Amino acid sequence: MSWPAPTGEPVNPNRGPSGTPAPFPNSYPTPPQMPGAGTAPAFAPNQVAPAPGVAPASAPSGGAPSEATSGPVAGGQLAPSQPGHIDTLAPPPPQASGLAPLSTRTGQPVRPWTVWLSAALLFGGAIVVIVGLLLAMWEMASPWQQVGENEWNKVDKFNEATWLTAQFPSEPASGMRVFFAIACCLLAVLVAGSASVIGYYAFAGYRWTRIGALVALGVSLLSLLLTPIAAISIGFVALGAAPLWLPATSRFFARWQLVRHPQISYSEPIDQVFYGPLPRYR
């Protein structure tokens, strides 16, 4: 290759040295190609290049290549369905049957009506026994009784306030009355506390509250030592324990068990490891 001799005239990019138009106006010489190298095919900005050894997809007749279609190509790649779109993995499998659904707002298991009913009845039993205790304590602390206009008579009603005090009569201002007053309070707190604890943890989704409700039912029998009003709590606790054994509650407890204690999953071992650039990048 030889270059022309200088003539002293300025060279115009669009014209040759002698003022004649250049063979390729508004362009620069093409760089030389390497021996054996071919020209790479051009692709549209939103078109995916096929893998090596795979022929490019032909465009539909009468128009440009369609960008709305997508499908797997060689190498496990996915062509985008539309410009600027990235295909994602398949959606997760549906939830296993036999479990309560999860709330889309909180992500926690949805409480069925059985759990709401059970918690309401158990807390109701706790309230009833406390009301019975307060009425009994009012009877113990009110020895005066009105017998006429502005006439009051001192009547001792301590021994008649509860069934327990009626079985062990005591004299006024004695230590036995202090003991029985404290014992009645402890009985009521024990009944109300057991019912409230079971109602709270059943609402939170703990399976052991099924057996705990039966224990609370046995503890509620202590309310028979107080007043007939306090004894109504036995019915509340019994009705509150029944819904915990229904299928809807079982699904709720099973879902909470998986939420609190997820199963440990191990990744599969990698048997084949490929070193170096992948074939599609060569």
Side-chain angles (χ1 to χ4, degrees):
M1 178 183 295
S2 61
W3 296 91
T7 59
E9 297 179 0
V11 178
N12 190 340
N14 298 329
R15 305 183 67 85
S18 60
T20 60
F24 299 97
N26 300 329
S27 62
Y28 294 95
T30 304
Q33 299 290 336
M34 298 296 295
T39 304
F43 296 95
N46 296 327
Q47 184 178 1
V48 177
V54 179
S58 58
S61 58
S66 174
E67 298 179 355
T69 60
S70 64
V73 296
Q77 299 177 355
L78 290 178
S81 59
Q82 55 183 350
H85 175 75
I86 299 177
D87 291 338
T88 59
L89 299 176
Q95 298 179 356
S97 58
L99 299 176
L102 294 176
S103 174
T104 57
R105 183 175 59 88
T106 62
Q108 297 181 354
V110 179
R111 293 180 178 86
W113 64 270
T114 54
V115 174
W116 287 93
L117 179 61
S118 178
L121 290 173
L122 290 172
F123 281 109
I127 294 175
V128 169
V129 73
I130 294 298
V131 171
L133 173 67
L134 294 177
L135 294 177
M137 296 297 291
W138 177 260
E139 292 290 333
M140 294 178 182
S142 301
W144 295 94
Q145 182 178 6
Q146 187 175 5
V147 295
E149 187 177 357
N150 296 329
E151 294 183 5
W152 296 81
N153 186 16
K154 188 175 182 179
V155 179
D156 185 10
K157 296 183 292 184
F158 186 91
N159 295 330
E160 301 175 359
T162 63
W163 183 90
L164 183 62
T165 56
Q167 301 303 315
F168 302 94
S170 58
E171 298 296 330
S174 62
M176 290 295 294
R177 293 200 169 186
V178 177
F179 170 78
F180 284 122
I182 296 176
C184 292
C185 293
L186 292 178
L187 291 175
V189 170
L190 184 61
V191 174
S194 61
S196 301
V197 168
I198 298 303
Y200 173 80
Y201 282 99
F203 192 79
Y206 287 89
R207 190 191 302 272
W208 59 263
T209 53
R210 289 180 168 181
I211 306 301
L214 300 179
V215 175
L217 179 60
V219 174
S220 65
L221 297 178
L222 297 176
S223 61
L224 295 173
L225 303 177
L226 301 177
T227 63
I229 296 178
I232 300 177
S233 62
I234 300 176
F236 276 85
V237 176
L239 294 176
L244 298 179
W245 297 88
L246 296 179
T249 309
S250 301
R251 293 190 293 268
F252 175 70
F253 289 159
R255 172 61 73 177
W256 263 119
Q257 180 70 17
L258 292 180
V259 171
R260 293 191 175 96
H261 307 284
Q263 298 180 356
I264 301 176
S265 59
Y266 299 93
S267 61
E268 297 181 359
I270 301 176
D271 298 332
Q272 299 179 357
V273 180
F274 186 86
Y275 296 94
L278 297 178
R280 61 176 179 269
Y281 297 122
R282 293 181 177 178

